[in-house]
Amino acid sequence: MFRNFRIGTRLILLTLLGGTLVVAAITGFCYFFGSRQIEKETREKAISVALGTAYRIEVVQQGAEKIVQGCAARIRDGGTASPERVAEILEDTVAQNPELFGAAFAYATQTSHGPRKSTAPYAYRSGSRITLKDLGTDDYRYDIWDWYTLPRDLERSVWSEPYFDEGGGGTLMVTYSAPLYERRGNTRELVGIVTGDVALTWLTDLLKSIRFGKTGYAFLLSKNGSYICHPKQDYVVKETVFSAAEEAGKTALRPVGRRMIAGETGYIPLRNLVNDAPSHLAFAPVPSTGWSVGVVVSDAELMAPVVSLSRSVAGVGAAGFAILLLVTLFIARSITRPVRLLDEATETLARGDLDAPLPVIAGNDEIARLAGSFSRMRSELKRSMDDLRRTTAAKQKIESELEIARSIQMSLVPRTFPAFPERPEFDLFAELHPARAIGGDFYDFFMLDRDRICIAIGDVSDKGVPAALFMAVVRTFLKAIWRDEESPAATLARLNDELAADNATCMFVTLFCAVIDLRDGVMRYACGGHNLPYIIGSNGTVRQVRRIRGITVGAMEGMAFEEGNEQLAPGETFFLYTDGISEALNRQEQLFGEDRLEDALERYTKENSAVNLLELVRNEVEYFADGAEQSDDLTMVAFRYLEPPRHQAAKGSE
């Protein structure tokens, strides 16, 4: 359909299509590589922020650990017997370390001497001053809280999960707890638990300060997956990453949570838990506490600069596209107008009006030279048409003469079958199929007398008219010599001398001659370099006649030919052929060969006629060739000996 448009229309469409593809390619290139670059930079920045935040938290946590360890050392050195002295140390520790919200020493409730009254001096910040209270009251059981039970049972320092401390002012905090032991003889006994509380208000402010666009945010998970900080305040302490994922139907967040609490660092895509928008999550661990910092980046805001750049490129491309269209219209008009004039002129020439005027196009560009070429072409076309008429007439004359020559050649060989309808003693049939209009093969048969028949088949060394003329000479000489000679060998020797004399063209012929006595089936034959015929027995056996000496006929004078003898029994068939049969080629340039020929002859039965035999062989050759063009003539003769002559049988009965 596109080819049916005019050149100008096609030029405009192709230019616009090319411009569109270029703009689309540039826009796509900017979008693809811009998005990859921004994603790479955002990934690196998000991971860096997550790691940096985790490091800042780690620094605070390590500082708190050292403060608590130092406080424990002071309590151990100052003596633990006096709660008043312990309270002074706690107040001093909180006062000197603003990162601590409070510090406590919870006396062990069980000692080697039995139960002990709950006592836990606790110093904490209350506004601008430090308040002291005892946590060991009836309404506050500190011995059931994790900050007390975990270090007692694990016998090592631990960080607690975030919690709202009811006894310490209802503040969201985490506690670092260190067990304090004393030597009692050979044993070590727990004296109490030293704690340092870190309020998470500063941590919430820190994470709120981390922003990636309008919708990006940061959050913090505890080592058990609980939310310590999150934009949704309902999640803080009350939800874990797993319960929130279950509630929101985001099961894909579960393996992410497992990776975070396992202490891994990563950057993965996910659906935002806050607004369900496509996002990416960068996360990094806080080693000392086992917490994990997460930074959420919105994909829409991430790609916003790339989208803006792509739109700008597309806008510039559209403007250039419009300019390109105007330029293309001008170019198309300047080129197609003279082409259109030439098109109209050539239409006139195509209708046969070779004298119609051609447009005159000024200039020396391709169109102007094309117009000049059309003018010269018209002159050459007139001259060529005159030559073509003369050549066609001459060719038709030659083809007519060749057809006449073919008819003459084919008339030189016997074409009427049955050839001897009055002779029931034998069945005879022959075929000749020239590869060209005129071939070089021939066959002949005739009765020498009442009881003997002569059969000959030959193949001239050349093709075409020379071979046909030489074949006619050979057939004429052969028939004339048979009138004087009784022996096939003598006939070929004399024919050889006649053809070799004054043979300036050096042409020759392969020839096989046989004389069959119908009274007893005795066959005498001579061979001049020809393919040996076959005898098909009445039982289906196939054999070649005995090989005898004899070269091609007409090559040189003075050559002798050997004579052979065969006995034909009633029901046997004598098959002669030229090399066009055995040398037939298929599309793979393989030869038909004598083996395939013998296989075909073996399928011939005595109930069939001579014409059936030739039809069988011809079909086998054509099937093998599969339409491949042949370079040699196909010629075959089949003689089937049936019975001795009846007049001989009648004479014997007398």
Side-chain angles (χ1 to χ4, degrees), residues 120-316:
Y122 178 54
Y124 66 96
R125 300 182 186 278
S126 178
S128 59
R129 61 190 183 86
I130 298 175
T131 302
L132 184 66
K133 65 181 297 186
D134 185 4
L135 297 179
T137 61
D138 294 334
D139 57 346
Y140 184 78
R141 294 285 307 281
Y142 66 78
D143 59 343
I144 63 174
W145 283 80
D146 288 345
W147 59 262
Y148 179 86
T149 59
L150 287 177
R152 180 196 65 189
D153 297 338
L154 297 177
E155 297 183 357
R156 61 179 175 82
S157 301
V158 295
W159 280 96
S160 70
E161 286 288 292
Y163 64 96
F164 285 99
D165 186 20
E166 299 174 358
T171 303
L172 178 65
M173 63 179 63
V174 290
T175 300
Y176 181 74
S177 305
L180 184 62
Y181 294 93
E182 288 185 354
R183 287 286 179 182
R184 301 290 175 87
N186 295 327
T187 62
R188 189 179 66 165
E189 183 175 335
L190 177 68
V191 178
I193 304 296
V194 183
T195 68
D197 298 334
V198 179
L200 297 183
T201 306
W202 69 273
L203 190 56
T204 302
D205 295 338
L206 172 63
L207 295 183
K208 284 183 178 180
S209 67
I210 300 173
R211 305 291 294 179
F212 273 85
K214 297 180 180 180
T215 59
Y217 62 90
F219 65 91
L220 182 66
L221 293 181
S222 71
K223 61 184 177 181
N224 292 327
S226 298
Y227 284 105
I228 301 174
C229 296
H230 195 276
K232 280 192 172 185
Q233 291 299 317
D234 294 343
Y235 285 178
V236 177
V237 178
K238 301 176 183 178
E239 296 282 355
T240 68
V241 66
F242 307 107
S243 63
E246 184 71 26
E247 180 182 353
K250 294 180 174 59
T251 56
L253 194 58
R254 295 175 185 170
V256 179
R258 286 194 289 269
R259 291 184 62 184
M260 293 181 69
I261 65 177
E264 296 185 21
T265 300
Y267 184 80
I268 58 175
L270 81 162
R271 305 292 295 187
N272 195 328
L273 193 62
V274 174
N275 54 22
D276 200 38
S279 306
H280 276 76
L281 170 66
F283 53 91
V286 180
S288 63
T289 60
W291 298 350
S292 181
V293 178
V295 178
V296 177
V297 184
S298 171
D299 288 354
E301 295 183 2
L302 171 67
M303 299 306 298
V306 180
V307 173
S308 177
L309 175 62
S310 300
R311 289 174 178 171
S312 301
V313 172
V316 174

